[in-house]
């Protein structure tokens, strides 16, 4: 995973090595600022806080916070305090709304870490059931928070995490082959949601009624097996592909 600090020249990434190392880079000078081991368990997401001085990482039975000190050259770690308010499980994604850190869980809950006495906190404050299955993606937007889940639902929440709208990808015109959602993003004006599915489809949805803003998916690609054949149309901007699962696009 990768994340960019809002107000700093820092880019963070989590590696696929045995320690799932966290690395901080200065993207402008193209130098590595810091690197450290995170966890032997699989890490699944990370997000910078509002000022770029604090970073949240999530993964399998892992939630942690990192303070970037000395311009990102030093990393100070704090383990999240879940206590009895929640359950240690797989945390699939994370983001921030203002000073509140939010993680999406495998059992469909939103775990929020709200500030205490005006300071960023590592203590779990609220849990909220949001999806019927794991929450696989989330992003802040002008109206609050957008989440997507394995249940095929896209949901919009206000800044207090009260529900605004929910849309079922299975109800789209020409619906997805497999509506498990892997990615969501909302346009700056809050009018459109870009939704990516497990089967390499990308849809553009209206935030008012959840309708497909195009006749079909914006992108359809192969998602299983090897690509065996490719033919390009001699005149139109079209191509046909065939893979080892006998799927033709």
């Amino acid at each position: 995973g990768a994340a960019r600090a809002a107000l700093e020249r820092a880019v963070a990434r989590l590696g696929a090595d045995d320690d799932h190392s966290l690395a901080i880079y200065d993207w402008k000078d193209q130098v590595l600022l810091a690197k450290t081991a995170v966890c032997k368990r699989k890490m699944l997401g990370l997000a910078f806080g509002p000022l770029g001085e604090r970073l949240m990482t999530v993964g399998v039975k892992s939630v942690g916070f990192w303070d970037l000190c000395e311009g990102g050259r030093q990393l100070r770690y704090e383990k999240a305090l879940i206590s009895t308010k929640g359950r240690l499980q797989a945390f699939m994604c994370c983001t921030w709304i203002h000073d509140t850190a939010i993680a999406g869980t495998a059992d469909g809950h939103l775990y929020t870490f709200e500030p205490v006495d005006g300071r960023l906190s590592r203590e779990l404050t609220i849990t909220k059931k949001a999806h019927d299955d794991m929450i696989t993606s989330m992003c802040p937007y002008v109206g609050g928070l957008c989440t997507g889940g394995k249940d095929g639902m896209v949901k919009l929440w206000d800044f207090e995490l009260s529900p605004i709208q929910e849309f079922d990808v299975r109800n789209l015109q020409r619906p997805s082959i497999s509506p498990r959602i892997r990615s969501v993003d909302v346009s700056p004006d809050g009018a459109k949601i870009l939704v990516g599915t497990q089967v390499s489809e990308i849809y553009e949805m209206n935030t008012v009624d959840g309708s497909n803003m195009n006749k079909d998916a914006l992108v359809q690609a192969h998602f299983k097996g090897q690509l065996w054949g490719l033919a390009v149309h001699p005149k139109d901007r079209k191509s046909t592909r065939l893979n080892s699962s006998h799927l033709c696009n």
Side-chain angles (χ1 to χ4, degrees), residues 95-209:
T95 192
W96 296 72
I97 295 182
H98 304 314
D99 291 338
T100 298
I102 305 174
T105 71
D107 64 2
H109 282 77
L110 294 172
Y111 280 24
T112 63
F113 301 80
E114 296 180 339
V116 175
D117 297 328
R119 300 181 62 183
L120 301 181
S121 174
R122 61 176 176 144
E123 184 173 352
L124 176 63
T125 51
I126 298 173
T127 67
K128 184 181 185 68
K129 182 66 173 177
H131 286 260
D132 292 334
D133 209 323
M134 64 177 62
I135 300 173
T136 51
S137 181
M138 62 173 63
C139 72
Y141 81 108
V142 66
L145 180 70
C146 178
T147 61
K150 187 180 176 181
D151 56 4
M153 301 297 294
V154 176
K155 300 190 179 186
L156 298 175
W157 313 81
D158 65 18
F159 290 104
E160 285 70 44
L161 297 184
S162 297
I164 300 174
Q165 290 273 30
E166 63 176 46
F167 310 118
D168 193 334
V169 174
R170 291 164 291 194
N171 294 334
L172 289 175
Q173 181 183 10
R174 298 186 183 181
S176 170
I177 298 172
S178 176
R180 296 180 178 181
I181 295 167
R182 299 301 299 268
S183 179
V184 292
D185 197 12
V186 184
S187 61
D189 61 3
K192 298 178 286 187
I193 312 172
L194 207 62
V195 179
T197 70
Q198 182 179 351
V199 292
S200 301
E201 300 162 326
I202 298 177
Y203 291 91
E204 195 174 36
M205 300 173 65
N206 189 308
T207 56
V208 175
D209 57 10

Side-chain angles (χ1 to χ4, degrees), residues 5 30-31 37 53 89 94 112 117-119 132 142 144 191 205 230 237 243 245 248:
Q30 300 183 24
V31 295
E53 297 175 352
Q89 56 183 296
C94 62
T112 63
D117 297 328
R119 300 181 62 183
D132 292 334
V142 66
M205 300 173 65
L230 174 64
R237 297 177 63 181
N243 72 356
S245 298
C248 182

